[in-house]
Amino acid sequence: MKRLLLFAMMCVSMSFVFGQKKGDKVVKVTSSEIRWWGYKVVKTVPTTHSGTVKLKSGKFTFDKTVLIDGEFVIDMKSLMAGDVSSQDADMVKLTNDLKSSNFFDVKKFPLAKFHLTKIIPLANSDYNSTVYGDVTIKGVRKTITFPANVYITQFTVVIESAKFSLNRRDFKVFYQSSLKDYFIKNEMDIQFKISTEKLDNENRTPVKKKK
């Protein structure tokens, strides 16, 4: 009886897995831009730091033409303070500090992840959608939502997020036993643009392919 029950459960599990895979189409992200902002307690332009981090990989999964979800992997080793081409000594020092165990500990946690779970349309707003998903930083996973402009045409996806906040302490991103941490705001801001096609730098829409 136990063997029969186990066999039945295996069959149900297999049919569920294969049922999900049937008809799925995976589309890779080919264009991305991720920016971040951090602030001291006294929030002014001179006390604001910003920078970039790169997307390692990203993909959207469709069932026929319906978007099911998205999976994105962020390369934390690419984390940088200041402009990408900046060689400013202070920015280099800040970049190294952010990558150290004081903050993101990229040696131990080289990747961060975001799993997009659903997109809900918005009306009468500056952004046309609310994006839901799970973000994992330093091994800590949190469910988040943020507004974004989302454009989906067949298997082409463009997402331009608003600037939204994460609490760094939720992900254990802080100076350990240091007074320096009290001078840094807990909120860190993120904004990103991703697309399954190369984006035009001016209007952030997919570049038209030459015929």
Side-chain angles (χ1 to χ4, degrees):
M1 184 66 181
K2 288 183 178 180
R3 289 182 178 180
L4 182 61
L5 180 61
L6 180 61
F7 178 77
M9 290 175 66
M10 288 176 63
C11 289
V12 170
S13 299
M14 290 175 66
S15 64
F16 177 74
V17 171
F18 288 122
Q20 278 191 315
K21 294 297 181 183
K22 185 178 180 181
D24 283 358
K25 180 178 178 65
V26 175
V27 183
K28 293 183 179 180
V29 171
T30 58
S31 182
S32 63
E33 179 183 324
I34 308 172
R35 297 198 62 84
W36 61 264
W37 290 263
Y39 312 98
K40 291 184 179 179
V41 172
V42 180
K43 186 177 178 180
T44 63
V45 173
T47 62
T48 297
H49 293 299
S50 64
T52 59
V53 66
K54 294 181 180 179
L55 188 72
K56 184 179 178 66
S57 64
K59 64 181 182 180
F60 294 97
T61 303
F62 288 82
D63 182 6
K64 295 181 180 178
T65 58
V66 177
L67 179 63
I68 299 174
D69 65 7
E71 294 282 352
F72 312 95
V73 179
I74 298 96
D75 179 9
M76 295 304 293
K77 290 184 178 181
S78 70
L79 182 69
M80 180 173 290
D83 186 80
V84 175
S85 60
S86 175
Q87 295 297 320
D88 183 271
D90 289 337
M91 292 298 99
V92 172
K93 182 179 179 181
L94 177 58
T95 296
N96 292 335
D97 201 18
L98 290 172
K99 290 182 177 182
S100 75
S101 58
N102 287 332
F103 288 98
F104 291 98
D105 198 359
V106 301
K107 187 174 182 179
K108 185 176 180 181
F109 302 98
L111 303 175
K113 297 180 181 180
F114 177 63
H115 176 208
L116 187 156
T117 54
K118 62 180 177 180
I119 299 172
I120 304 298
L122 280 177
N124 303 319
S125 174
D126 292 337
Y127 293 88
N128 65 22
S129 304
T130 299
V131 176
Y132 293 74
D134 300 317
V135 62
T136 302
I137 301 173
K138 293 184 71 174
V140 179
R141 186 177 67 180
K142 296 287 183 181
T143 298
I144 63 171
T145 65
F146 53 85
N149 281 323
V150 180
Y151 308 100
I152 303 173
T153 305
Q154 291 185 334
F155 301 115
T156 298
V157 183
V158 178
I159 299 180
E160 301 179 353
S161 82
K163 186 187 287 187
F164 62 95
S165 296
L166 298 177
N167 189 319
R168 63 189 178 87
R169 286 187 165 271
D170 287 343
F171 303 95
K172 302 178 182 179
V173 178
F174 53 85
Y175 275 108
Q176 302 291 333
S177 303
S178 174
L179 288 175
K180 293 181 180 179
D181 197 67
Y182 291 98
F183 294 97
I184 305 171
K185 289 184 71 69
N186 289 334
E187 292 75 24
M188 55 182 185
D189 289 344
I190 307 291
Q191 188 172 29
F192 67 86
K193 302 171 184 177
I194 57 175
S195 173
T196 55
E197 294 187 4
K198 185 177 180 180
L199 295 179
D200 181 276
N201 287 327
E202 293 183 2
N203 56 26
R204 311 309 300 171
T205 58
V207 175
K208 292 183 179 179
K209 297 179 179 178
K210 294 181 180 180
K211 294 183 179 179

